[in-house]
Amino acid sequence: MTAGVSLRPSKADELRYTPIAEHGMIGDMRTAALVGTNGTIDWYCCARFDAPSVFGALLDADRGGSFQLAADVPARTKQFYFPDTNILITRFFADNGVGEVQDFMPIVGDSREADRHRLIRRVLCVRGSLPFIARVAPRFDYGRSVHTVSSQQGQIVFDSPGLSLALSSSVPVEIDGPDACCAFTLDEGDAAVFALDRIGDGVEPRACPLMEAEDLFGATVRYWRGWLSQSRYRGRWREMVHRSALTLKLLTYAPTGAIVAAPTTSLPEQIGGERNWDYRYVWVRDAAFCVYALLRLGFTDEAKAFVRFLSQNVCLTECAEGPLQIMYGIDGRSELPEEELLHLEGHLGSSPVRIGNDAVNQLQLDIYGALIDSLYLYDKWGEPLSSEHWDTIGKLVDWVCDNWDQPDEGIWETRGKTQNFLYSQLMCWVAVERAMRIAAHRGLPADMVRWGKARDTIYRRIMDRGWSSKRQAFVQHEGDDVLDASVLMMPLAKFISPTDPKWLSTLDALGEELVSDSLLYRYDPRSSPDGLRGEEGTFSICSFWYVEALSRAGRVDEARLAFEKMLTYGNHLGLYAEEIGRTGEQTGNFPQAFTHLALISAAFNLDRALG
């Protein structure tokens, strides 16, 4: 399969926007910011992932707002993470000097100032002498809110109706209209500090002297390294796996244990297209797979926190009668109304910009399997599920037994007509099968006769109607011959042997039609219309599923080559967006949790296959 031609922006527009992949992420497990390789923060929501943006130049270079901090002379730049942390360093190499900007959010834990939400930018000159320029240009509420700027006790305060921020700096800063700016020069060994704090609600403005910034830097390094030291992974791809784990941790909302799908909204799946969605929420599917990946690494606290989130906020207490809602807010709220922000042009002109997500109202039966599989793994590797949890799981499985054969929107959240998707039925089988495993292992009460009958009926339905004699492959949905990369989960979920002849034939068919240089398309929207205009790139999670399927099938050399190729598609920091475009560019929301958890799983299984 070949990709269609993207709607390319003009050269002038390309100069106004930093490409999606040219960013690193920092955060404090409450919110996140994206820092471009040019030193500009052009995405930041304060003080939680789903709050309105303060810096949103990634979605509108003119009206979105940004925090520029860079060398004021022509310079080459390089970006990396301080080893084994989420502290981002952007280096500037100029004719007369070398400097760097260290970006991080201090981890405050349960301190009394947990609501401060401090963002620190520490600038150092490490060689020679280097001039710098800074401009802080917030645009509150996605650029919809007017704000005032004032100088108060040596700080610059930005006031808007819903949020106030205070900027402290170790170098003089001037007010310039709605912005604050400065120019300064550092000699070798000199440093400067900028700190942006959320203020109000009992949090007062506070300076950030050089020594305090250095202390917070050290404390944040210790936090991230202490957390990462719990990892049990010692395989061949340790650096990439650990970067993925650190990324997943950054996407965790600490107050509730929720895990967001991505920290951004409306980054386009196709430049100039309309496939732009808000991912700053908790998909039950994504978060459950995240727990699986973190459990594999040994991070049981994160799994426990997510199970607590499910118990207290979502589906294990109130929604057991089904159908389950597919996504929730990071605080557990169920209403996520979708809205288009018509005043923003979108990344490289890709409109509309959306906040909220109407897919919240879709029926997606696969989430039952993802949820119960994660609880099965938690019961096995974490701690035993409670009796209340088991009672609720029983109700969920009973609902699946009655409703597994309904048509739904499927894993890809199509906005066309509903279908009897193979993947949805597969994960319903997983839901019943894993529940039966828990019951057998723990000796828990269960209607094993009814559950077993449903499990076997789903199996026979998939093997009968999900198999295409014409294609010699398992297909996307009943009544058609369309291939779909989601069937790669069949051996991964232990539904079929990875060496079963029918599966090996399916693997070959996927390779011939959907694979391009290790990259996989989800499906061909021309053959299977999804209700949206335009085309899309390859889906990175599917590429890692393909690696795992190859390794389980015994095609280890192919799997390793595909995996190594996929690593070259990551950005300079090892981060992945949702998709890869036709020329290798990253598209879609960034970074995406789903992709990083699939990388972890693929690395684990490939390591095991290689011995």
Side-chain angles (χ1 to χ4, degrees):
M1 175 179 174
T2 58
V5 177
S6 293
L7 305 173
R8 300 308 306 174
S10 68
K11 290 294 183 183
D13 281 343
E14 288 181 341
L15 292 174
R16 295 167 59 230
Y17 285 90
T18 301
I20 292 170
E22 292 295 310
H23 289 87
M25 178 173 63
I26 60 172
D28 59 2
M29 294 175 296
R30 287 170 174 79
T31 188
L34 296 186
V35 186
T37 51
N38 59 0
T40 298
I41 297 176
D42 51 19
W43 183 255
Y44 173 53
C45 299
C46 184
R48 40 189 274 168
F49 291 108
D50 56 357
S53 65
V54 173
F55 303 134
L58 200 57
L59 294 179
D60 193 309
D62 299 324
R63 292 178 286 270
S66 64
F67 188 159
Q68 177 190 8
L69 181 54
D72 197 20
V73 292
R76 295 178 295 109
T77 65
K78 292 186 178 180
Q79 202 174 54
F80 69 100
Y81 279 110
F82 197 78
D84 294 335
T85 77
N86 279 314
I87 296 173
L88 188 65
I89 299 178
T90 306
R91 309 201 89 198
F92 297 87
F93 300 85
D95 289 343
N96 296 319
V98 178
E100 64 184 40
V101 177
Q102 301 172 345
D103 285 309
F104 65 100
M105 295 184 194
I107 305 298
V108 296
D110 295 323
S111 76
R112 288 175 296 174
E113 290 202 320
D115 290 331
R116 180 169 289 277
H117 298 287
R118 170 166 277 192
L119 191 162
I120 293 179
R121 313 200 72 184
R122 191 163 73 140
V123 194
L124 293 86
C125 180
V126 296
R127 297 185 70 182
S129 178
L130 203 58
F132 288 89
I133 187 170
R135 176 172 289 273
V136 185
R139 299 294 183 264
F140 294 91
D141 189 22
Y142 306 107
R144 295 182 296 189
S145 227
V146 176
H147 68 274
T148 61
V149 190
S150 61
S151 180
Q152 300 179 20
Q153 300 177 343
Q155 296 180 314
I156 305 296
V157 175
F158 304 92
D159 269 314
S160 78
L163 178 66
S164 295
L165 298 175
L167 173 71
S168 63
S169 171
S170 62
V171 295
V173 177
E174 298 180 350
I175 295 174
D176 182 16
D179 307 339
C181 62
C182 68
F184 57 98
T185 298
L186 299 179
D187 295 324
E188 188 169 327
D190 290 344
V193 169
F194 297 85
L196 192 63
D197 290 344
R198 173 183 178 271
I199 59 174
D201 297 327
V203 180
E204 298 296 326
R206 192 179 77 199
C208 186
L210 293 173
M211 287 305 298
E212 181 177 349
E214 188 171 346
D215 290 343
L216 289 170
F217 180 93
T220 305
V221 168
R222 289 190 295 275
Y223 172 83
W224 287 116
R225 288 182 172 174
W227 180 80
L228 193 60
S229 67
Q230 301 172 65
S231 171
R232 294 198 298 251
Y233 182 76
R234 299 293 184 270
R236 295 168 175 82
W237 296 282
R238 185 175 178 182
E239 183 176 350
M240 294 302 302
V241 167
H242 281 175
R243 177 50 51 198
S244 291
L246 285 163
T247 300
L248 292 177
K249 182 64 171 174
L250 270 185
L251 297 176
T252 301
Y253 184 61
T256 64
I259 302 171
V260 297
T264 55
T265 180
S266 297
L267 293 183
E269 296 177 16
Q270 179 194 25
I271 300 301
E274 67 170 344
R275 297 168 183 264
N276 318 316
W277 313 110
D278 193 345
Y279 275 19
R280 299 171 298 160
Y281 307 114
V282 188
W283 268 255
V284 173
R285 175 194 308 116
D286 296 27
F289 280 124
C290 282
V291 170
Y292 170 74
L294 290 167
L295 280 171
R296 296 292 298 268
L297 294 172
F299 296 112
T300 55
D301 287 346
E302 284 66 31
K304 184 175 183 179
F306 179 62
V307 171
R308 185 172 64 248
F309 172 79
L310 295 175
S311 303
Q312 296 177 352
N313 300 294
V314 188
C315 44
L316 292 191
T317 54
E318 298 178 1
C319 305
E321 300 302 323
L324 292 181
Q325 189 165 300
I326 69 166
M327 72 178 86
Y328 297 85
I330 55 177
D331 53 5
R333 73 187 187 281
S334 58
E335 298 295 326
L336 304 173
E338 189 172 296
E339 177 185 358
E340 294 185 0
L341 303 182
L342 301 179
H343 66 288
L344 297 179
E345 71 175 10
H347 182 75
L348 286 170
S350 305
S351 61
V353 171
R354 296 181 174 97
I355 56 174
N357 200 311
D358 277 348
V360 69
N361 299 311
Q362 289 189 354
L363 173 65
Q364 295 177 21
L365 296 172
D366 64 279
I367 65 171
Y368 284 88
L371 173 61
I372 296 179
D373 194 27
S374 71
L375 295 174
Y376 160 74
L377 294 167
Y378 180 71
D379 183 77
K380 181 178 179 180
W381 292 344
E383 63 182 26
L385 297 172
S386 70
S387 57
E388 183 179 4
H389 287 158
W390 179 246
D391 288 343
T392 305
I393 288 172
K395 294 176 183 177
L396 293 173
V397 175
D398 286 340
W399 190 92
V400 170
C401 290
D402 291 332
N403 295 277
W404 64 266
D405 57 350
Q406 291 188 47
D408 70 347
E409 280 86 1
I411 181 177
W412 307 130
E413 297 177 359
T414 59
R415 298 201 175 191
K417 65 178 182 179
T418 59
Q419 302 279 5
N420 289 111
F421 288 102
L422 185 151
Y423 183 82
S424 298
Q425 295 180 359
L426 167 70
M427 296 308 288
C428 285
W429 177 90
V430 168
V432 180
E433 197 274 341
R434 299 304 191 267
M436 293 179 70
R437 286 196 195 193
I438 297 172
H441 174 69
R442 294 273 304 278
L444 295 170
D447 190 346
M448 298 292 264
V449 173
R450 182 183 184 222
W451 291 5
K453 182 179 179 181
R455 177 197 62 187
D456 296 347
T457 302
I458 298 171
Y459 176 88
R460 294 189 184 100
R461 175 81 164 259
I462 291 173
M463 297 302 288
D464 179 29
R465 301 191 195 179
W467 172 257
S468 167
S469 298
K470 176 182 176 182
R471 301 301 301 270
Q472 287 296 292
F474 290 102
V475 293
Q476 183 184 71
H477 58 81
E478 295 179 3
D480 211 331
D481 296 316
V482 177
L483 296 183
D484 190 308
S486 65
V487 303
L488 286 164
M489 281 297 296
M490 294 177 74
L492 276 55
K494 304 187 187 306
F495 176 88
I496 194 170
S497 164
T499 57
D500 186 288
K502 284 190 172 182
W503 173 249
L504 294 177
S505 177
T506 300
L507 197 56
D508 288 338
L510 292 172
E512 291 170 6
E513 183 166 315
L514 298 183
V515 175
S516 172
D517 188 44
S518 84
L519 303 173
L520 263 81
Y521 294 91
R522 296 186 294 180
Y523 52 87
D524 183 352
R526 293 169 297 185
S527 302
S528 179
D530 53 17
L532 295 165
R533 295 188 303 272
E535 299 184 1
E536 60 182 18
T538 58
F539 246 63
S540 294
I541 185 174
C542 299
S543 301
F544 286 118
W545 285 351
Y546 185 58
V547 169
E548 191 165 343
L550 286 172
S551 64
R552 289 174 183 261
R555 295 159 61 173
V556 180
D557 288 342
E558 289 179 63
R560 184 168 189 176
L561 180 58
F563 188 74
E564 295 288 359
K565 284 184 175 182
M566 269 305 297
L567 296 184
T568 70
Y569 285 104
N571 81 344
H572 57 290
L573 299 168
L575 302 181
Y576 290 85
E578 186 174 29
E579 300 184 19
I580 306 293
R582 66 188 181 94
T583 58
E585 74 275 14
Q586 298 210 34
T587 60
N589 285 304
F590 172 90
Q592 194 204 29
F594 223 171
T595 302
H596 286 277
L597 64 91
L599 184 155
I600 292 171
S601 184
F604 258 98
N605 284 281
L606 189 52
D607 266 320
R608 185 166 55 190
L610 289 167

